[in-house]
Amino acid sequence: CYRNGEFAINAGASTIDRKLNMTNTWANTIDAYNYSGRTISMDAFNKYTFTNYLFIVVGTQYQYFDMSQKDAFTDVSKKGAKFNLMDPYATVVYNSAFGLNLNIGARFNIHSEYGNQVVYNFNPSFSFANAPLKVMASYSTAFITPSLYQLYGPYGNLALTPEKNATAEIGFETQFLDKQIRINAVGFYRGEENTFGFFFDEATFESYYVNNGFNTNKGIETTVRYQLSKKINCLYRCLSFCSIHM
């Protein structure tokens, strides 16, 4: 930490090794399944506070993944099944004294296999001082790459392309009876391009991951929470949802 700011580094790594012998009743054999995977992650960021109402976070995240799998149907080595990505990002947060809140962020994805892509989010909200009401909205984009398993696993497909989507939301939150009853309602619309799906041929049993076309999802989610006591809460949630596939 330093005056008006702080700098931090978070890092982690994991390794998975799994060996399994299974009886194949079809061929009357014992099949060996061997899988291993490694993940390395590091996130370095700096938060700087300009005023009591405004601060910014700037950082970079690095991730590395590899896997190997060998069984009766798959033979994949770590030399081929790997990728890494680096994501510089920035977030600005403004919380005013008169009820306006803004959260604006952007991330630059640098992927070793799928190139570069910018994603961003914009989240404004406003709390009314003379009424128990908060209105909020958001708009965000996403860039989702296939996992190593979807690319190189037994149902892998190296022709997969990343999924892209954009989501818009608008809603409100209010409360009654000295905060005993809280109501939250959010309407959303999401457009998805190249979502991941699964193909299965009933005649040949051929199976693999695929990209679907363009999908749209829209709906309203409503939550009502009633606080009976300090330890007991009743929650009711309703989702009205519509999905269109093209």
Side-chain angles (χ1 to χ4, degrees), residues 2-242:
Y2 59 94
R3 184 178 180 181
N4 295 336
E6 61 178 297
F7 176 79
I9 298 177
N10 299 317
S14 64
T15 300
I16 298 175
D17 290 297
R18 184 170 64 233
K19 296 182 180 181
L20 181 64
N21 293 323
M22 295 184 63
T23 302
N24 186 334
T25 57
W26 181 268
N28 196 26
T29 59
I30 302 295
D31 294 339
Y33 293 80
N34 298 286
Y35 172 86
S36 68
R38 295 183 298 180
T39 302
I40 300 173
S41 178
M42 180 176 294
D43 186 8
F45 66 90
N46 184 82
K47 176 183 177 182
Y48 187 81
T49 302
F50 292 93
T51 68
N52 292 334
Y53 311 113
L54 177 66
F55 69 85
I56 184 172
V57 178
V58 179
T60 299
Q61 183 179 35
Y62 173 81
Q63 298 177 81
Y64 171 86
F65 304 89
D66 69 28
M67 65 164 278
S68 66
Q69 183 168 340
K70 186 174 179 60
D71 53 50
F73 310 98
T74 310
D75 189 358
V76 178
S77 69
K78 286 188 175 72
K79 292 182 179 180
K82 62 181 179 181
F83 58 64
N84 64 79
L85 55 154
M86 183 175 292
D87 301 325
Y89 60 87
T91 300
V92 178
V93 178
Y94 174 68
N95 297 314
S96 73
F98 57 89
L100 176 64
N101 301 290
L102 293 174
N103 186 312
I104 304 171
R107 181 179 291 262
F108 184 48
N109 298 128
I110 306 171
H111 200 286
S112 61
E113 302 298 323
Y114 293 105
N116 305 333
Q117 181 74 29
V118 176
V119 296
Y120 55 91
N121 66 277
F122 175 62
N123 304 284
S125 67
F126 187 84
S127 299
F128 291 86
N130 299 321
L133 178 64
K134 177 181 179 180
V135 293
M136 52 225 176
S138 70
Y139 183 82
S140 61
T141 62
F143 178 71
I144 305 170
T145 60
S147 67
L148 288 176
Y149 184 82
Q150 290 172 319
L151 292 170
Y152 298 100
Y155 308 108
N157 180 3
L158 293 176
L160 287 176
T161 57
E163 173 188 334
K164 298 179 181 179
N165 66 54
T167 303
E169 297 181 341
I170 186 168
F172 71 90
E173 181 179 295
T174 188
Q175 57 193 24
F176 304 98
L177 301 179
D178 195 24
K179 300 182 181 180
Q180 281 188 292
I181 299 177
R182 297 176 182 267
I183 300 175
N184 178 284
V186 176
F188 63 89
Y189 178 89
R190 179 167 59 251
E192 303 171 330
E193 182 181 358
N194 291 332
T195 56
F196 304 125
F198 195 78
F199 171 81
F200 174 71
D201 190 319
E202 294 182 356
T204 64
F205 301 105
E206 185 179 18
S207 307
Y208 51 86
Y209 289 99
V210 295
N211 284 115
N212 294 321
F214 184 82
N215 303 328
T216 60
N217 303 293
K218 56 184 178 181
I220 299 175
E221 183 176 9
T222 304
T223 302
V224 179
R225 184 187 300 271
Y226 178 61
Q227 186 175 18
L228 293 174
S229 66
K230 292 182 178 181
K231 296 183 178 180
I232 301 176
N233 287 279
C234 296
L235 180 68
Y236 171 77
R237 178 168 293 163
C238 176
L239 175 62
S240 176
F241 183 76
C242 176

